[in-house]
């Protein structure tokens, strides 16, 4: 590591990885003047050495002349072509041209920028990122830690476990830059795909970029699960070149792997001051592997936002995860996974029947649906219909699981609309029995971190002690007990919701929890006032302000609208919209039912999922672990209902105190659990 030692290990900007994505971001930030006077560093296992830049990659993209000008990287282009060829069929691609940039040229230009900025180079790999602190702390494998106000993360993407409708293939390639004695290459035609090679139960093709009459990159590319190895590629390359071009001199070798994945990118390590870039941000088009052009425009958007003092990711294009083009990507990859030998037929038919410029627009997701019909109709019907059926079924099941709280809320709301209050209450009771109470009956497992089934006496003593502490506070001064219960409940609810979105608990998550409880309670003031005197708290007197709503209710409505807009502008917070929907339904239902909707239908379901994932247990395993304590809870609740009068508020107030005492150690255990997953 070298650079200025002033405020060692503390930086304004820290780049994790310095490949193409972060190089482009750094260049655009530099051109916008946003790096002037800043302390900068990047962490990469293979940092640039001054004056030494390898040419081990090729960056290609198609663009119009105006797009190339907007990209601002025309000076890096080393070659371009106006025609493409697929399996011997040549066609012009106007108004596009296909452009080529050598990695050596991009990284040399980046290196010049780095030298002017006097950036600190850190040769290491990232181990962890602490988003709870600010500036954020990044710990490296070698043990050293670095603080940064702004972090740009371009490390290779990590995907979540594949669902049934998702596919993960690899675009692996190996090629030679060759030189011939005679001028045999057509400098205006590049071969995008030549399937006249052995497929070997994969989708394989040759890719040829002629740089001049005597020099070209000739590359074997594979779309498949298995990665192409050099020993496999060499004989295929040798035979292909000998048959078409004769004797050649190999100048340079190139190889690499690009993920072609429709899997979900995880939500961890996301925040206002940490921005993913490149493949980690979903910039790679799953069905093609192309990413460079999108990365350039993405870097420009990031710099534009910084120039306007906006959030780095404001109005930033999302990755290829949603919409009809994501659907097309999933279908193609699913077909290539199940029928790898059909790849040659699919792409050959496509380019034979549809003009190339329209296909390129389609691959860039810039076509209208009416323009896409002919493209879709040109494809083999049966395999794509099969893939569509799998996709639709899987996504419906996945969507119902993901939106279970919304489904439950709608169902409960409809039952109340049609006068079936008892059925609605029974449904909530079933949810309480299945996940509400069991998710809180696993604290002994959390204490042992799943290493043993039995709980220790120390755990029992601590648990009872925390319950006794809370009960003592209630007896000493009930208003304090009520406030404390609401505060730690708000922390727990906010922490759980943020964990569902892949974010760590913070002051922001606590504020969200406060807003949840405020919405539930203050939209039911009349019912709330029935309980407050039992806790020695005066009733609330809030006059109506406008159209039958009081000031607090209007404030909650306006703040909810702001949260809804914020969640759209910052998609990492999209999960908040489900809670907004649940709470909106609850506003029209009784207080206890409204709370049950959130607690059972949303919070408990999420908490159960977090426990299953964090402890690596199945649903049945969790229920087996929880049943002794769940039965105890059922017995206590049943006994209470047997000796109490449900119509007497004082009984429910006492039960409320009991629940607060039981939940206090649960919140304690869950906080420790969330810190470790």
């Amino acid at each position: 590591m070298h650079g200025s030692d002033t405020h060692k290990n503390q930086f304004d900007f820290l780049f994790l990885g310095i490949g193409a994505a972060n190089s482009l971001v750094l260049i655009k930030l530099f051109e916008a003047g946003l790096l002037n006077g800043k302390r900068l560093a990047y962490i990469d296992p293979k940092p640039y050495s001054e004056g030494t830049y390898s040419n081990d990659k090729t960056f290609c993209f198609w663009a119009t002349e105006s797009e190339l000008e907007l990209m601002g990287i025309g000076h890096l282009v080393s070659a371009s072509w106006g025609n493409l060829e697929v399996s011997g069929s040549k066609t012009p691609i106007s108004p596009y041209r296909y452009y080529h940039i050598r990695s050596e040229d991009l990284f040399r230009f980046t290196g010049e920028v780095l030298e002017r900025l006097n950036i600190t180079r850190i040769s290491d790999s990232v181990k962890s990122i602490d988003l709870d602190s600010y500036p954020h702390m990044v710990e490296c494998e070698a043990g050293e830690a670095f603080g940064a106000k702004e972090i740009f993360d371009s490390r290779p993407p990590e995907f979540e476990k594949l669902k049934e409708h998702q596919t993960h293939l690899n675009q692996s390639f190996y090629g030679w830059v060759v030189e011939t004695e005679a001028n045999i290459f057509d400098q205006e035609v590049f071969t995008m795909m030549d399937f006249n090679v052995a497929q070997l139960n994969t989708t394989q093709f040759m890719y040829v970029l002629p740089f001049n009459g005597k020099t070209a990159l000739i590359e074997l590319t594979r779309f498949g699960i298995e990665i192409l190895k050099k020993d496999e590629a060499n004989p295929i390359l040798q035979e292909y070149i000998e048959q078409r071009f004769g004797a050649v001199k190999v100048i340079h070798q190139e190889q690499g792997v690009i993920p072609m994945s429709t899997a979900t990118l995880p939500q961890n390590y996301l925040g206002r001051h940490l921005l993913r870039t490149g493949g980690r941000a979903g910039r790679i088009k799953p069905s093609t592997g192309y990413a460079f052009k999108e990365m350039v425009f993405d870097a420009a958007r990031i710099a534009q936002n910084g120039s306007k003092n906006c959030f780095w990711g404001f109005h930033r294009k999302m990755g290829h995860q949603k919409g009809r083009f994501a659907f097309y990507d999933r279908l193609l990859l699913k077909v290539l996974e199940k029928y790898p030998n059909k790849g040659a037929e699919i792409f050959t038919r496509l380019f034979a029947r549809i003009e190339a410029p329209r296909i390129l627009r389609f691959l860039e997701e810039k076509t209208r649906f009416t323009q896409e019909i002919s493209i879709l109709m040109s494809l083999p019907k049966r395999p794509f219909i099969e893939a569509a059926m799998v996709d639709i079924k899987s996504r419906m099941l996945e969507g119902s699981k993901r939106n279970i709280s919304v489904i439950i809320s709608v169902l409960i709301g409809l039952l109340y609309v049609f006068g079936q209050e008892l059925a609605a209450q029974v449904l909530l009771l079933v949810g309480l029995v299945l996940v509400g109470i069991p998710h809180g009956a696993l604290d002994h497992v959390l204490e042992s971190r799943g290493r043993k089934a039995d709980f220790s006496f120390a755990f029992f003593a601590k648990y009872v002690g925390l319950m006794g502490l809370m009960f003592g506070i209630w007896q000493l001064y009930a208003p304090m007990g009520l406030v404390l219960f609401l505060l730690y409940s708000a922390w727990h609810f906010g922490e759980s919701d943020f964990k569902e979105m892949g974010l760590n608990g913070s002051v922001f998550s606590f504020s969200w929890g406060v807003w949840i409880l405020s919405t539930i309670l203050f939209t039911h003031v009349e019912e709330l006032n029935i309980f407050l005197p039992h806790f020695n708290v005066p009733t609330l007197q809030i006059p109506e302000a406008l159209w039958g709503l009081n000031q607090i209710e209007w404030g909650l409505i306006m703040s909810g609208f702001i949260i809804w807009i914020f969640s759209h502008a910052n998609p990492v917070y999209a999960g908040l919209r489900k809670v907004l929907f649940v709470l909106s339904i609850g506003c029209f239902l009784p207080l206890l039912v409204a709370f049950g909707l959130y607690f059972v239908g949303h919070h408990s379901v999420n908490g159960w999922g977090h426990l299953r994932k964090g402890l690596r247990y199945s649903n049945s395993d969790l229920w087996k672990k929880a049943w002794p304590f769940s039965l105890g809870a059922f017995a206590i609740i049943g006994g209470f209902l047997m000796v109490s009068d449900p119509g007497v508020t004082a009984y429910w107030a006492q039960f409320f105190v009991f629940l607060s005492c039981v939940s206090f150690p649960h919140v304690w255990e869950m906080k420790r659990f969330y810190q470790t997953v």
Side-chain angles (χ1 to χ4, degrees):
M1 170 177 162
H2 71 272
S4 173
D5 288 328
T6 307
H7 307 300
K8 183 183 178 183
N9 293 5
Q10 294 294 323
F11 302 98
D12 296 300
F13 289 79
L14 182 60
F15 297 85
L16 308 185
I18 198 69
N22 267 359
S23 290
L24 292 167
V25 171
L26 189 144
I27 290 169
K28 293 300 182 182
L29 293 177
F30 171 74
E31 292 173 347
L34 297 173
L35 303 182
N36 297 336
K38 304 294 185 181
R39 297 203 69 241
L40 312 169
Y42 71 79
I43 301 174
D44 196 293
K46 297 179 180 179
Y48 294 150
S49 298
E50 186 177 351
T52 304
Y53 307 101
S54 64
N55 191 35
D56 60 345
K57 295 181 180 67
T58 292
F59 303 120
C60 290
F61 58 95
W62 58 88
T64 64
E65 186 176 343
S66 59
E67 285 176 329
L68 183 65
E69 186 176 350
L70 284 173
M71 293 169 73
I73 44 86
H75 60 288
L76 298 176
V77 172
S78 59
S80 68
W81 302 268
N83 301 272
L84 68 76
E85 178 180 334
V86 173
S87 292
S89 177
K90 302 177 183 178
T91 181
I93 60 173
S94 178
Y96 296 108
R97 285 190 70 83
Y98 193 72
Y99 295 100
H100 170 269
I101 292 177
R102 302 188 307 165
S103 58
E104 179 180 4
D105 295 332
L106 173 63
F107 295 146
R108 179 180 289 110
F109 182 63
T110 305
E112 293 172 1
V113 173
L114 295 177
E115 293 305 318
R116 294 183 62 176
L117 294 171
N118 191 30
I119 197 167
T120 299
R121 297 169 167 85
I122 303 166
S123 179
D124 207 338
S125 297
V126 174
K127 181 179 180 181
S128 64
I129 305 174
D130 181 9
L131 294 183
D132 290 332
S133 61
Y134 186 77
H136 299 321
M137 295 303 298
V138 177
E139 183 182 358
C140 289
E141 293 291 349
E144 200 165 5
F146 304 90
K149 296 178 180 178
E150 310 293 339
I151 299 175
F152 297 92
D153 187 359
S154 71
R155 291 173 295 162
E158 297 173 345
F159 299 97
E160 292 186 354
K161 183 180 179 181
L162 285 174
K163 301 178 177 65
E164 185 182 4
H165 64 283
Q166 297 174 336
T167 307
H168 185 101
L169 301 180
N170 293 295
Q171 180 180 144
S172 50
F173 49 88
Y174 177 76
W176 300 338
V177 175
V178 302
E179 186 178 85
T180 61
E181 293 184 0
N183 289 309
I184 61 174
F185 296 113
D186 186 342
Q187 299 176 53
E188 264 301 302
V189 180
F190 79 98
T191 300
M192 178 175 265
M193 292 176 164
D194 187 349
F195 289 99
N196 294 308
V197 293
Q199 295 299 289
L200 303 179
N201 202 35
T202 64
T203 298
Q204 295 193 148
F205 56 88
M206 301 303 299
Y207 176 69
V208 182
L209 299 180
F211 301 128
N212 54 54
K214 293 184 177 181
T215 308
L217 167 65
I218 304 175
E219 198 167 74
L220 176 63
T221 302
R222 171 184 290 177
F223 293 172
I225 297 174
E226 299 297 326
I227 294 175
L228 180 67
K229 296 180 176 62
K230 180 178 179 180
D231 292 343
E232 291 179 276
N234 273 330
I236 299 175
L237 274 169
Q238 187 72 45
E239 180 182 359
Y240 183 86
I241 291 172
E242 286 180 354
Q243 288 181 354
R244 285 160 180 77
F245 310 116
V248 299
K249 176 184 178 182
V250 178
I251 301 174
H252 175 69
Q253 298 177 356
E254 176 181 305
Q255 67 182 111
V257 180
I258 300 171
M260 301 175 69
S261 183
T262 57
T264 305
L265 288 165
Q267 294 298 303
N268 61 316
Y269 290 157
L270 286 176
R272 189 169 184 84
H273 301 282
L274 187 151
L275 198 71
R276 289 175 175 168
T277 61
R280 203 171 183 86
R283 300 275 81 91
I284 301 173
K285 172 75 169 171
S287 57
T288 66
Y290 282 92
F292 188 82
K293 181 179 177 181
E294 192 168 324
M295 289 194 300
V296 173
F297 283 116
D298 187 43
R301 165 58 66 182
I302 292 169
Q304 185 180 20
N305 287 335
S307 298
K308 295 179 178 179
N309 293 318
C310 295
F311 165 52
W312 296 112
F314 187 67
H315 279 177
R316 187 183 182 210
K317 181 181 177 183
M318 293 301 295
H320 304 275
Q321 297 279 326
K322 297 181 179 180
R324 69 181 190 277
F325 289 104
F327 176 62
Y328 302 153
D329 287 342
R330 291 195 303 272
L331 295 190
L332 177 62
L333 293 191
K334 185 61 68 177
V335 170
L336 294 182
E337 178 187 45
K338 187 174 181 181
Y339 303 104
N341 289 321
K342 282 191 173 291
E345 177 190 354
I346 290 170
F347 291 109
T348 301
R349 285 177 57 173
L350 182 63
F351 279 92
R353 299 182 180 187
I354 308 296
E355 59 273 22
R358 186 191 295 185
I359 296 174
L360 297 182
R361 284 196 299 273
F362 173 71
L363 295 178
E364 282 198 304
E365 305 182 359
K366 293 181 178 179
T367 49
R368 298 187 300 273
F369 180 69
T370 53
Q371 297 173 313
E372 295 153 18
I373 294 175
S374 60
I375 295 175
L376 300 176
M377 294 302 294
S378 70
L379 302 173
K381 306 298 186 298
R382 182 171 179 176
F384 280 91
I385 291 174
E386 288 179 2
M389 296 299 291
V390 170
D391 188 88
I392 292 170
K393 183 193 74 171
S394 175
R395 294 191 69 220
M396 286 180 64
L397 291 174
E398 183 66 27
S400 64
K401 294 177 183 177
R402 189 171 57 249
N403 296 297
I404 186 66
S405 59
V406 173
I407 295 171
I408 292 174
S409 298
V410 170
L411 183 56
I412 295 292
L414 288 174
L415 288 173
Y416 264 85
V417 167
F418 291 105
Q420 301 299 314
E421 292 89 349
L422 181 60
Q425 294 164 8
V426 169
L427 181 61
L428 282 178
L429 182 61
V430 170
L432 187 68
V433 170
L434 290 179
V435 292
I437 290 175
H439 106 274
L442 289 160
D443 294 335
H444 63 296
V445 181
L446 297 182
E447 178 73 14
S448 65
R449 291 298 180 265
R451 291 188 297 271
K452 57 185 178 180
D454 298 327
F455 66 95
S456 65
F457 177 77
F459 164 75
F460 178 76
K462 182 181 74 170
Y463 211 84
V464 173
L466 290 173
M467 290 173 59
L469 174 63
M470 190 64 198
F471 182 75
I473 293 173
W474 275 105
Q475 299 306 309
L476 181 67
Y477 188 54
M480 181 186 297
L482 177 62
V483 171
L484 182 60
F485 173 62
L486 294 176
L487 287 177
Y488 70 67
S489 296
W491 175 269
H492 181 51
F493 290 160
E495 185 178 43
S496 175
D497 282 358
F498 270 51
K499 181 59 66 173
E500 182 68 14
M501 296 181 290
L503 304 173
N504 293 326
S506 63
V507 174
F508 193 17
S509 66
F510 173 66
S511 301
W512 170 245
V514 170
W515 189 87
I516 290 172
L517 287 177
S518 299
T519 301
I520 294 173
L521 296 175
F522 289 116
T523 55
H524 299 84
V525 174
E526 291 185 5
E527 292 175 85
L528 179 62
N529 279 336
I530 297 174
F531 285 91
L532 290 180
H534 295 280
F535 307 128
N536 297 324
V537 176
T539 58
L540 301 174
Q541 301 298 324
I542 305 174
E544 292 184 357
L546 182 66
W547 295 330
L549 300 177
N550 61 53
Q551 296 97 323
I552 294 180
E553 288 172 333
W554 275 113
L556 292 171
I557 291 173
M558 295 304 297
S559 59
F561 183 66
I562 292 172
I563 292 170
W564 183 80
I565 295 175
F566 173 78
S567 69
H568 278 281
N570 301 274
V572 65
Y573 296 103
L576 300 182
R577 296 199 291 273
K578 286 193 294 187
V579 185
L580 289 175
F581 185 88
V582 172
L583 297 180
S584 298
I585 296 291
C587 290
F588 301 96
L589 302 173
L591 173 60
L592 291 178
V593 177
F595 180 78
L597 271 186
Y598 174 77
F599 177 75
V600 176
H602 181 79
H603 171 74
S604 297
V605 171
N606 284 348
W608 184 265
H610 300 159
L611 291 167
R612 185 180 64 241
K613 185 176 181 180
L615 296 173
R616 298 181 180 179
Y617 283 169
S618 66
N619 287 327
S620 60
D621 288 336
L622 287 180
W623 274 312
K624 289 176 183 177
K625 299 286 186 183
W627 76 264
F629 296 92
S630 296
L631 286 180
F634 297 151
I636 293 172
I637 294 174
F640 169 80
L641 293 175
M642 288 177 63
V643 302
S644 65
D645 183 352
V648 179
T649 306
Y651 284 115
W652 287 108
Q654 294 171 9
F655 189 62
F656 179 84
V657 172
F658 167 74
L659 288 179
S660 73
C661 295
V662 173
S663 64
F664 184 48
H666 168 68
V667 172
W668 178 278
E669 290 294 338
M670 287 299 291
K671 176 171 176 55
R672 293 178 60 208
F673 169 70
Y674 281 140
Q675 289 175 339
T676 61
V677 296

